[in-house]
Amino acid sequence: MISDEQLDALRLSGERVRVVRDGLESNDVIGTVVAWDPQHVIIRRRNRRVVKLDRNYSYQLQSEPRRSPLGE
C-alpha cells in the first residue's frame, strides 16, 4: 500500500502516475494524485475526469518503465 507521505509528495510535485491494476497495460489509469483517504486515492485523468482507486494497487511514476504487479 502506498503511504501518505508518498501520496503527498506526488500531489505536490504534480507528476503523472500510472496505477497498475492487473497484468494488462490497457487497464492502467494515468493521471495526477488529487486526494486520498485510508482506503482510496482519487486520480485526475487527462480528460479531467476523476477516478477513485484502491490504495492497494501499484502506484508508479508514468515516466518510469511499467512494472507488472504480478512479477512477470
Side-chain angles (χ1 to χ4, degrees):
M1 181 179 335
I2 190 165
S3 71
D4 288 342
E5 292 80 18
Q6 291 171 316
L7 287 168
D8 194 41
L10 288 169
R11 182 184 63 84
L12 291 173
S13 71
E15 287 187 78
R16 295 174 92 51
V17 295
R18 173 190 315 271
V19 184
V20 180
R21 299 186 288 178
D22 57 22
L24 296 175
E25 190 170 351
S26 60
N27 290 338
D28 293 354
V29 174
I30 297 174
T32 55
V33 175
V34 177
W36 60 91
D37 65 19
Q39 292 86 25
H40 300 98
V41 177
I42 297 177
I43 301 291
R44 175 170 285 129
R45 294 175 33 173
R46 196 168 200 173
N47 62 3
R48 293 185 172 173
R49 293 181 187 237
V50 294
V51 182
K52 186 175 183 180
L53 300 167
D54 194 294
R55 281 181 73 163
N56 291 320
Y57 289 135
S58 174
Y59 290 81
Q60 307 166 9
L61 292 177
Q62 183 194 9
S63 58
E64 296 178 356
R66 182 183 189 274
R67 296 180 315 270
S68 174
L70 305 174
E72 298 173 351

